[in-house]
Amino acid sequence: MANSSENIKNYSITLLCVIASAFIIFLGFYLKTTAANKLIAQKEVLMKVEEKVDRVYNDYKSLIDRQISMQESIEENANNAGVLFNEGSLIFSVRLMESEDMIDPAQADMMVIESISQIKKVNPRIADIVSTFNRKYINSR
């Protein structure tokens, strides 16, 4: 009887060791799988965050590019308007000075032609109109 209880005790210890080993192996696989799943989930989250950051960056870059383009356009239009105003004022002043006999007509004509050529660089249609008025003025002297 002592031998049989010793065998039962040994079998019980062996069975306990086998069950404990199986549990540890199962726990290792479970933790490994869970860790792998967590890594996959973290990678997916990081990829989504990266995509959103890229999208925001691209949208912001596009907005900045459009703003730069608009500012350049506004600056160019302002410069063109300044040229038109300055040259138009010069033409008016030259013709007024000519009518007051402050400068001779040939000199006035040369200054007006130079102003018209400056206007033509900015806006050819307005230059054509001013040129037509200039020819009319010269022909009516």
Side-chain angles (χ1 to χ4, degrees), residues 3-68:
N3 202 9
S4 134
S5 84
E6 187 70 29
N7 283 340
I8 291 175
K9 180 177 154 186
N10 286 338
Y11 287 133
S12 295
I13 291 173
T14 304
L15 184 61
L16 179 65
C17 288
V18 168
I19 291 174
S21 296
F23 178 74
I24 290 173
I25 291 170
F26 171 76
L27 187 61
F29 281 126
Y30 176 76
L31 290 177
K32 182 179 176 184
T33 305
T34 303
N37 288 341
K38 283 182 182 178
L39 280 174
I40 291 170
Q42 287 175 345
K43 284 181 182 178
E44 287 176 2
V45 167
L46 285 175
M47 286 174 51
K48 287 179 183 177
V49 168
E50 185 177 312
E51 287 174 8
K52 288 183 181 182
V53 167
D54 285 346
R55 190 175 323 128
V56 168
Y57 171 77
N58 289 335
D59 289 347
Y60 184 71
K61 185 178 180 300
S62 174
L63 174 68
I64 294 298
D65 289 344
R66 281 184 291 180
Q67 271 187 322
I68 289 171

Side-chain angles (χ1 to χ4, degrees), residues 71-87:
Q71 287 174 343
E72 289 172 349
S73 174
I74 289 169
E75 182 179 353
E76 182 181 347
N77 288 340
N79 288 336
N80 291 343
V83 167
L84 290 175
F85 180 76
N86 289 339
E87 297 303 325

